[in-house]
Amino acid sequence: MQFNPSFGVKVLLVVICALASVIVATVAGILTYMTNSSLAEAVLYGGGAFAMFMGLGLTTLAVLGLV
């Protein structure tokens, strides 16, 4: 038996992945800023964390066949 999610479920999974990535990026940016880094450096770290976590999440969903 194979699970074939509908389009709406796929969209929700991608949105959940994006929201989790935003949370990780926010935490990474705040932690970087608290180490006496500049604001621009903290934003860059947050952006990198977002990209890495989003890529990891979407890759995981694709391997599981959910997206």
mmCIF file of all heavy atoms in Angstrom, residues 21-22 24-30 32 39-53:
data_model
loop_
_atom_site.group_PDB
_atom_site.id
_atom_site.type_symbol
_atom_site.label_atom_id
_atom_site.label_comp_id
_atom_site.label_asym_id
_atom_site.label_seq_id
_atom_site.Cartn_x
_atom_site.Cartn_y
_atom_site.Cartn_z
ATOM 1 N N SER A 21 11.973 26.149 9.026
ATOM 2 C CA SER A 21 13.213 26.790 8.585
ATOM 3 C C SER A 21 13.309 28.225 9.090
ATOM 4 O O SER A 21 14.385 28.688 9.456
ATOM 5 C CB SER A 21 13.302 26.768 7.063
ATOM 6 O OG SER A 21 13.329 25.451 6.591
ATOM 7 N N VAL A 22 12.178 28.927 9.116
ATOM 8 C CA VAL A 22 12.172 30.303 9.640
ATOM 9 C C VAL A 22 12.516 30.305 11.125
ATOM 10 O O VAL A 22 13.270 31.169 11.600
ATOM 11 C CB VAL A 22 10.803 30.970 9.383
ATOM 12 C CG1 VAL A 22 10.654 32.252 10.177
ATOM 13 C CG2 VAL A 22 10.620 31.246 7.903
ATOM 14 N N VAL A 24 14.366 28.063 12.751
ATOM 15 C CA VAL A 24 15.792 27.760 12.861
ATOM 16 C C VAL A 24 16.626 28.978 12.471
ATOM 17 O O VAL A 24 17.614 29.310 13.136
ATOM 18 C CB VAL A 24 16.150 26.533 11.995
ATOM 19 C CG1 VAL A 24 17.649 26.359 11.875
ATOM 20 C CG2 VAL A 24 15.514 25.285 12.579
ATOM 21 N N ALA A 25 16.237 29.675 11.409
ATOM 22 C CA ALA A 25 16.969 30.856 10.966
ATOM 23 C C ALA A 25 16.913 31.968 12.004
ATOM 24 O O ALA A 25 17.914 32.654 12.250
ATOM 25 C CB ALA A 25 16.405 31.350 9.644
ATOM 26 N N THR A 26 15.766 32.151 12.633
ATOM 27 C CA THR A 26 15.635 33.178 13.665
ATOM 28 C C THR A 26 16.531 32.879 14.853
ATOM 29 O O THR A 26 17.230 33.764 15.360
ATOM 30 C CB THR A 26 14.162 33.279 14.123
ATOM 31 O OG1 THR A 26 13.350 33.563 12.985
ATOM 32 C CG2 THR A 26 13.990 34.367 15.162
ATOM 33 N N VAL A 27 16.530 31.640 15.293
ATOM 34 C CA VAL A 27 17.384 31.257 16.426
ATOM 35 C C VAL A 27 18.860 31.420 16.065
ATOM 36 O O VAL A 27 19.649 31.936 16.864
ATOM 37 C CB VAL A 27 17.071 29.816 16.866
ATOM 38 C CG1 VAL A 27 18.096 29.318 17.870
ATOM 39 C CG2 VAL A 27 15.676 29.732 17.446
ATOM 40 N N ALA A 28 19.237 31.013 14.860
ATOM 41 C CA ALA A 28 20.629 31.156 14.433
ATOM 42 C C ALA A 28 21.040 32.627 14.369
ATOM 43 O O ALA A 28 22.142 32.995 14.796
ATOM 44 C CB ALA A 28 20.838 30.491 13.079
ATOM 45 N N GLY A 29 20.163 33.467 13.850
ATOM 46 C CA GLY A 29 20.472 34.894 13.775
ATOM 47 C C GLY A 29 20.593 35.529 15.145
ATOM 48 O O GLY A 29 21.503 36.332 15.394
ATOM 49 N N ILE A 30 19.698 35.180 16.061
ATOM 50 C CA ILE A 30 19.742 35.744 17.412
ATOM 51 C C ILE A 30 21.006 35.291 18.129
ATOM 52 O O ILE A 30 21.685 36.100 18.778
ATOM 53 C CB ILE A 30 18.474 35.355 18.198
ATOM 54 C CG1 ILE A 30 17.262 36.107 17.648
ATOM 55 C CG2 ILE A 30 18.642 35.629 19.687
ATOM 56 C CD1 ILE A 30 15.931 35.626 18.217
ATOM 57 N N THR A 32 23.813 34.356 16.819
ATOM 58 C CA THR A 32 24.971 35.002 16.208
ATOM 59 C C THR A 32 25.080 36.459 16.659
ATOM 60 O O THR A 32 26.167 36.943 16.954
ATOM 61 C CB THR A 32 24.873 34.935 14.671
ATOM 62 O OG1 THR A 32 24.755 33.576 14.281
ATOM 63 C CG2 THR A 32 26.092 35.549 14.018
ATOM 64 N N LEU A 39 24.876 43.237 12.824
ATOM 65 C CA LEU A 39 23.536 42.848 12.403
ATOM 66 C C LEU A 39 23.567 42.184 11.027
ATOM 67 O O LEU A 39 22.866 41.187 10.791
ATOM 68 C CB LEU A 39 22.615 44.070 12.383
ATOM 69 C CG LEU A 39 21.161 43.816 12.009
ATOM 70 C CD1 LEU A 39 20.519 42.853 13.000
ATOM 71 C CD2 LEU A 39 20.400 45.119 11.946
ATOM 72 N N ALA A 40 24.378 42.713 10.128
ATOM 73 C CA ALA A 40 24.467 42.131 8.789
ATOM 74 C C ALA A 40 25.008 40.701 8.850
ATOM 75 O O ALA A 40 24.533 39.812 8.132
ATOM 76 C CB ALA A 40 25.372 42.984 7.911
ATOM 77 N N GLU A 41 25.975 40.467 9.713
ATOM 78 C CA GLU A 41 26.527 39.127 9.859
ATOM 79 C C GLU A 41 25.485 38.155 10.424
ATOM 80 O O GLU A 41 25.377 37.009 9.990
ATOM 81 C CB GLU A 41 27.747 39.174 10.770
ATOM 82 C CG GLU A 41 28.638 37.974 10.699
ATOM 83 C CD GLU A 41 29.922 38.171 11.486
ATOM 84 O OE1 GLU A 41 30.115 39.235 12.097
ATOM 85 O OE2 GLU A 41 30.719 37.221 11.489
ATOM 86 N N ALA A 42 24.688 38.633 11.370
ATOM 87 C CA ALA A 42 23.637 37.793 11.953
ATOM 88 C C ALA A 42 22.577 37.446 10.908
ATOM 89 O O ALA A 42 22.085 36.316 10.868
ATOM 90 C CB ALA A 42 23.005 38.507 13.145
ATOM 91 N N VAL A 43 22.240 38.414 10.051
ATOM 92 C CA VAL A 43 21.261 38.150 8.990
ATOM 93 C C VAL A 43 21.808 37.134 8.000
ATOM 94 O O VAL A 43 21.085 36.230 7.539
ATOM 95 C CB VAL A 43 20.864 39.466 8.280
ATOM 96 C CG1 VAL A 43 20.054 39.192 7.032
ATOM 97 C CG2 VAL A 43 20.093 40.361 9.234
ATOM 98 N N LEU A 44 23.091 37.228 7.674
ATOM 99 C CA LEU A 44 23.697 36.261 6.763
ATOM 100 C C LEU A 44 23.706 34.860 7.366
ATOM 101 O O LEU A 44 23.437 33.871 6.676
ATOM 102 C CB LEU A 44 25.119 36.688 6.405
ATOM 103 C CG LEU A 44 25.235 37.848 5.426
ATOM 104 C CD1 LEU A 44 26.688 38.260 5.262
ATOM 105 C CD2 LEU A 44 24.654 37.453 4.089
ATOM 106 N N TYR A 45 24.026 34.750 8.648
ATOM 107 C CA TYR A 45 23.995 33.441 9.305
ATOM 108 C C TYR A 45 22.572 32.886 9.311
ATOM 109 O O TYR A 45 22.363 31.692 9.082
ATOM 110 C CB TYR A 45 24.519 33.539 10.737
ATOM 111 C CG TYR A 45 26.007 33.346 10.842
ATOM 112 C CD1 TYR A 45 26.874 34.426 10.798
ATOM 113 C CD2 TYR A 45 26.552 32.074 11.007
ATOM 114 C CE1 TYR A 45 28.239 34.258 10.901
ATOM 115 C CE2 TYR A 45 27.910 31.894 11.104
ATOM 116 C CZ TYR A 45 28.759 32.991 11.054
ATOM 117 O OH TYR A 45 30.105 32.814 11.155
ATOM 118 N N GLY A 46 21.604 33.729 9.588
ATOM 119 C CA GLY A 46 20.214 33.291 9.580
ATOM 120 C C GLY A 46 19.773 32.828 8.204
ATOM 121 O O GLY A 46 19.081 31.818 8.067
ATOM 122 N N GLY A 47 20.178 33.553 7.181
ATOM 123 C CA GLY A 47 19.843 33.156 5.813
ATOM 124 C C GLY A 47 20.472 31.832 5.427
ATOM 125 O O GLY A 47 19.851 30.993 4.770
ATOM 126 N N GLY A 48 21.704 31.642 5.844
ATOM 127 C CA GLY A 48 22.371 30.362 5.578
ATOM 128 C C GLY A 48 21.694 29.215 6.298
ATOM 129 O O GLY A 48 21.524 28.121 5.738
ATOM 130 N N ALA A 49 21.301 29.453 7.545
ATOM 131 C CA ALA A 49 20.602 28.415 8.305
ATOM 132 C C ALA A 49 19.263 28.094 7.668
ATOM 133 O O ALA A 49 18.860 26.924 7.596
ATOM 134 C CB ALA A 49 20.414 28.871 9.755
ATOM 135 N N PHE A 50 18.554 29.117 7.183
ATOM 136 C CA PHE A 50 17.277 28.890 6.505
ATOM 137 C C PHE A 50 17.474 28.030 5.261
ATOM 138 O O PHE A 50 16.748 27.053 5.045
ATOM 139 C CB PHE A 50 16.625 30.217 6.118
ATOM 140 C CG PHE A 50 15.345 30.049 5.346
ATOM 141 C CD1 PHE A 50 14.148 29.865 6.016
ATOM 142 C CD2 PHE A 50 15.342 30.059 3.966
ATOM 143 C CE1 PHE A 50 12.960 29.694 5.311
ATOM 144 C CE2 PHE A 50 14.174 29.886 3.251
ATOM 145 C CZ PHE A 50 12.981 29.709 3.938
ATOM 146 N N ALA A 51 18.451 28.382 4.456
ATOM 147 C CA ALA A 51 18.673 27.656 3.204
ATOM 148 C C ALA A 51 19.059 26.203 3.470
ATOM 149 O O ALA A 51 18.551 25.286 2.803
ATOM 150 C CB ALA A 51 19.755 28.354 2.390
ATOM 151 N N MET A 52 19.928 25.982 4.440
ATOM 152 C CA MET A 52 20.360 24.622 4.733
ATOM 153 C C MET A 52 19.219 23.781 5.295
ATOM 154 O O MET A 52 19.018 22.631 4.897
ATOM 155 C CB MET A 52 21.541 24.632 5.708
ATOM 156 C CG MET A 52 22.815 25.192 5.131
ATOM 157 S SD MET A 52 23.405 24.266 3.698
ATOM 158 C CE MET A 52 23.857 22.735 4.463
ATOM 159 N N PHE A 53 18.452 24.348 6.218
ATOM 160 C CA PHE A 53 17.371 23.582 6.832
ATOM 161 C C PHE A 53 16.242 23.330 5.844
ATOM 162 O O PHE A 53 15.646 22.248 5.829
ATOM 163 C CB PHE A 53 16.855 24.308 8.079
ATOM 164 C CG PHE A 53 16.082 23.426 9.012
ATOM 165 C CD1 PHE A 53 16.748 22.583 9.890
ATOM 166 C CD2 PHE A 53 14.703 23.421 9.006
ATOM 167 C CE1 PHE A 53 16.043 21.759 10.746
ATOM 168 C CE2 PHE A 53 13.992 22.606 9.860
ATOM 169 C CZ PHE A 53 14.662 21.763 10.735
#
